[in-house]
Amino acid sequence: MAQTRDRFALIENLSSIGGEPSRDLRETLDLIVATVAAGLETEVCSLYLFDPKRERLVLRATVGLEGDSVGKVSMRVDEGLVGMVIETGEPQAVEDAISHPRYKYFPETGEERYHTFLGVPVQNGRERPIGVLVVQTRRRRKFTAGEIRLLKAAANQVAQVLSHYRLRETLATKEKERDEYRRRMIEATRQLKDYEKVGGKTRVAAPVRMRRPRLVGLPASPGFAHGVAHVVGTFLSTIDRTRRARDPKSELKRFDEALARSLAELAALKARMAPLMPEDDLRIFDGHRLILADEEFIGRVRQQIEQGYAAESALFRVIDELSASMLNVADAYLRERANDFRDVGHRVLRHLRQEGGKALSRRTILVADELTLSQLTLVSHENMVGIALQSGGVTSHAAILARAFEIPTVVGVEHLMESVSEGDDLVLDGNSGVLYINPSVEVEREYDSLHRRYETFKRELMAAHGESTSTRDGYPVQILANVALLADLNLALRYGAEGVGLLRSEFSFLTYEDFPDEDQQLKLYSQMLSAAGGRPVTIRTLDIGADKYPPYLRVPREENPFLGWRSIRISLEMSGLFKVQLRAILRAAAHHHVKILFPMISSLEELRRARELLGEAQSELYKEGLEHNPQVEVGIMVEVPSAVWLAPRLAREVDFFSIGTNDLIQYLLAADRNNPKVAHLYESLHPAVLSAIADVINVGRAAGKEVCLCGEMASDPLCTLLLVGMGLTQLSLSPLFIPVVRKLVRDSDYQTARLIAHDTLEMASSQEIKGYLIERYRDLGLIQMVEMYR
């Protein structure tokens, strides 16, 4: 019945659009495709019309594809899936369009993001089709027979609207028939309105509903998740602080039970995280436990309950008062602790709302504006199956840690917090960046099937992961991992990493109460290096600043922190602390294969000063008789445009380069990688980015220096053959992507990769490059591997 109502609503909306005589044809077609997309819950709806003069199908309206492609994209009837609809005169549904032999890619449309294609002919009666109405989706979706019938009904309405406008155009050219024109216009409008009549009664066309059953963000960690929403960070603000309870004793009992369950949950989480996090990082659990055991905190809540407030209201009032007082103090560290109080409040409130031990007892998707490290510890729970964030980018702290825990994650989801409520049923697609809210049974079924296929595919990729990696014609490519915590390293080794190309040392510093001393750092690095089992590990010195500030580091607010005081700039200015880290790394390198990597080098002066401090640390260790490695290799991150053009000079003073594409892309293209408003500008396949990468590789090879690429670009399977063809012999990537990248390298030839790189570097736009790469992967039979991870 609901589907029948939806079908009537869609047809009525189309009738209403077509019956409005004041609109021109272009505006009407735009409204039609928007209405169809909303009615069928698809990301794309496009209308292609046949131009008899050119004998081509031309894109005339779209929602979802690039608007500039309207009127420019055209194809012959014997081309593409759209042409196949005209040729056959029948609907064509393709679940994985990009792999279909008739698929034709138009770079200017940006359609490489969409998988499923459904096209139906637009025709009047038995006449030859005059066009094709198409819908596309990001997810692989099997359209039902009812949905196909609905799109056909919509296409019939489109045909009548087109006939109506063609009639208007014909009559408008006949000045002598003006009266007849007016009469026929009124009649045509009346006939279109008749479609709104059901059972002899006129139905008022309902406006297009602007529901948000589907939200789109950025894919940050691959995989699929189906679970209930647990909204972090908004519980307290939704509580009625004035709600009263009739039985204070009962409320006190509920509060005490919630406290006990919260303490037990913290203890279990700490035990679960202990093998994965440094000992000092685990203090966050102790801090939250102390809050829950604090007599003043508990006493205030109990006092509010005894005064007649419900337990939830009492908790909110106390947490709000305490956190507000902390936020008003000048000390930044105490202001940070206000977040801990609110975190604790959310935990207790969740247990208050879920009596009988139901907290996190079901498969749960964490929903938040952004995540603190304390909140991220929740992902260790066995029932935490996905993460959706309104803020952040694919290279943010939260996204990197989510990948470490193999949690499917979508970030940068606009309208997330206003659209999702606690307990909503969610389906999350970490491969394409889509979140479905209270989806239909069909969507749930399709994603459950897709999840099973994805897990099977991962198991197949894991085969023979212990062997070295090379192309079929013998070109060696070392597959390394980017890691931040011990959990990342354990995951990377399980997926077959041959070493660590980037150890982000700053992540282990973020939860210390003060800057860790030399012995603490030595213990931390030794633990990581021992786990690596003799494999090479490249440790990047502290890259704090921008979006990663430890709470104990007092820094002034900056208008543009990504261009401000961060990374090597902080290290060189705080040289005493920098030497502590260098000493710890040198000592850890005495018994392990270690390289040192300086981040964000933009000049020779910075590099020379960093090396000077390294020399001082070596001299001090030698004088103190402490065992260390004085011959450790030193490299720099090439992630600032100036370093690209200084590469020939920098190569003379380093042992290796590591290209950090995350920052390099945002600096080259002036696009903040964590800002969803400019996410479309942050493009790894931009010609300028590829040219810069190629230049650095060529400089390194000419100087006989190793070059590794360690940004998130290395994790994109569509870039794998291109990067190998450029001459890279080391790729350092997120652990989850190691199996697919390794398989792509082994299933290809270096000579083919070189041709791909040569052709790509000649191209002038990222859209052209994407289209070319998709076609080449399809020709090589590798496209399904790429699509499974995009």
Side-chain angles (χ1 to χ4, degrees), residues 112 665 669 671 679-687 689 766 770:
E112 71 279 354
I665 294 170
L669 304 182
H680 63 290
L681 299 176
Y682 183 84
E683 177 55 72
S684 58
L685 289 172
H686 191 287
V689 174
S766 55
K770 284 183 182 178

Side-chain angles (χ1 to χ4, degrees), residues 241-312:
R241 63 182 294 159
T242 63
R243 188 166 72 87
R244 295 277 178 165
R246 294 182 179 179
D247 187 357
K249 289 184 178 179
S250 176
E251 294 300 297
L252 286 170
K253 181 180 179 182
R254 289 179 60 227
F255 175 64
D256 290 340
E257 290 174 349
L259 277 179
R261 287 195 295 269
S262 297
L263 286 165
E265 183 179 67
L266 279 172
L269 280 173
K270 181 178 179 180
R272 188 182 299 275
M273 295 296 291
L276 307 176
M277 297 174 66
E279 183 178 346
D280 289 283
D281 292 0
L282 296 172
R283 291 177 183 171
I284 191 166
F285 299 106
D286 297 329
H288 284 200
R289 180 181 56 79
L290 289 174
I291 292 174
L292 289 174
D294 183 76
E295 292 183 2
E296 181 180 0
F297 166 65
I298 295 173
R300 287 191 183 192
V301 177
R302 293 179 67 88
Q303 184 179 25
Q304 292 284 330
I305 294 174
E306 290 168 352
Q307 291 175 1
Y309 289 103
E312 291 88 349

Side-chain angles (χ1 to χ4, degrees), residues 13 191 205 222 260 273 326 345 438 463 479 481 496 697 738:
N13 288 333
Q191 291 177 355
M273 295 296 291
M326 288 185 175
N438 298 317
I479 304 298
I697 294 171
I738 288 174

Side-chain angles (χ1 to χ4, degrees), residues 439-717:
S440 65
V441 174
E442 290 80 7
V443 171
E444 291 181 1
R445 187 181 299 120
E446 289 167 21
Y447 266 98
D448 288 343
S449 173
L450 189 57
H451 174 69
R452 288 192 296 271
R453 299 203 318 261
Y454 175 74
E455 292 300 319
T456 300
F457 182 65
K458 276 205 311 184
R459 287 193 295 271
E460 292 173 354
L461 290 177
M462 289 291 288
H465 73 269
E467 303 172 6
S468 60
T469 305
S470 61
T471 61
R472 291 185 301 194
D473 50 355
Y475 184 78
V477 180
Q478 192 175 25
I479 304 298
L480 307 170
N482 299 334
V483 304
L485 302 171
L486 189 58
D488 306 30
L489 180 56
N490 293 334
L491 181 64
L493 297 178
R494 181 150 56 89
Y495 276 86
E498 300 171 50
V500 174
L502 175 63
L503 172 56
R504 298 179 170 102
S505 64
E506 62 276 1
F507 280 87
S508 295
F509 284 61
L510 293 178
T511 57
Y512 279 83
E513 294 182 0
D514 201 352
F515 196 92
D517 61 29
E518 184 176 323
D519 289 335
Q520 288 175 312
Q521 293 188 49
L522 176 60
K523 180 180 177 181
L524 171 66
Y525 301 138
S526 297
Q527 184 182 22
M528 298 284 281
L529 293 166
S530 296
R535 297 173 183 86
V537 176
T538 298
I539 301 177
R540 182 178 68 185
T541 60
L542 286 180
D543 187 16
I544 54 178
D547 59 342
K548 300 189 292 290
Y549 283 112
Y552 48 79
L553 184 63
R554 310 294 190 261
V555 294
R557 183 182 179 277
E558 296 181 279
E559 290 297 324
N560 195 335
F562 281 97
L563 298 180
W565 194 55
R566 59 167 296 198
S567 196
I568 196 67
R569 298 168 182 175
I570 293 177
S571 295
L572 295 181
E573 189 166 331
M574 303 175 70
S575 58
L577 296 179
F578 185 39
K579 280 207 296 184
V580 170
Q581 182 179 31
L582 294 175
R583 285 170 57 99
I585 295 173
L586 289 169
R587 291 176 64 186
H591 301 287
H592 302 280
H593 187 174
V594 177
K595 300 179 183 179
I596 291 179
L597 184 62
F598 295 136
M600 205 180 172
I601 294 293
S602 61
S603 67
L604 279 168
E605 289 82 359
E606 286 176 334
L607 172 59
R608 288 169 178 169
R609 177 56 180 157
R611 296 211 66 150
E612 180 182 339
L613 291 170
L614 177 63
E616 291 177 10
Q618 291 170 330
S619 298
E620 292 171 4
L621 292 172
Y622 178 77
K623 292 177 181 177
E624 295 168 21
L626 293 174
E627 193 175 13
H628 66 285
N629 180 6
Q631 303 299 324
V632 67
E633 292 181 67
V634 176
I636 64 165
M637 293 281 288
V638 179
E639 52 189 342
V640 178
S642 62
V644 175
W645 284 278
L646 284 175
R649 297 180 177 89
L650 293 167
R652 301 179 194 136
E653 305 195 23
V654 296
D655 300 304
F656 65 96
F657 285 145
S658 188
I659 303 174
T661 55
N662 298 349
D663 273 330
L664 182 61
I665 294 170
Q666 75 168 349
Y667 291 139
L668 279 172
L669 304 182
D672 180 358
R673 69 194 194 206
N674 291 329
N675 185 347
K677 292 292 187 183
V678 294
H680 63 290
L681 299 176
Y682 183 84
E683 177 55 72
S684 58
L685 289 172
H686 191 287
V689 174
L690 298 183
S691 178
I693 292 171
D695 287 348
V696 175
I697 294 171
N698 291 335
V699 168
R701 296 183 72 173
K705 303 296 173 69
E706 285 184 348
V707 180
C708 177
L709 189 138
C710 66
E712 294 302 312
M713 186 177 176
S715 299
D716 186 348

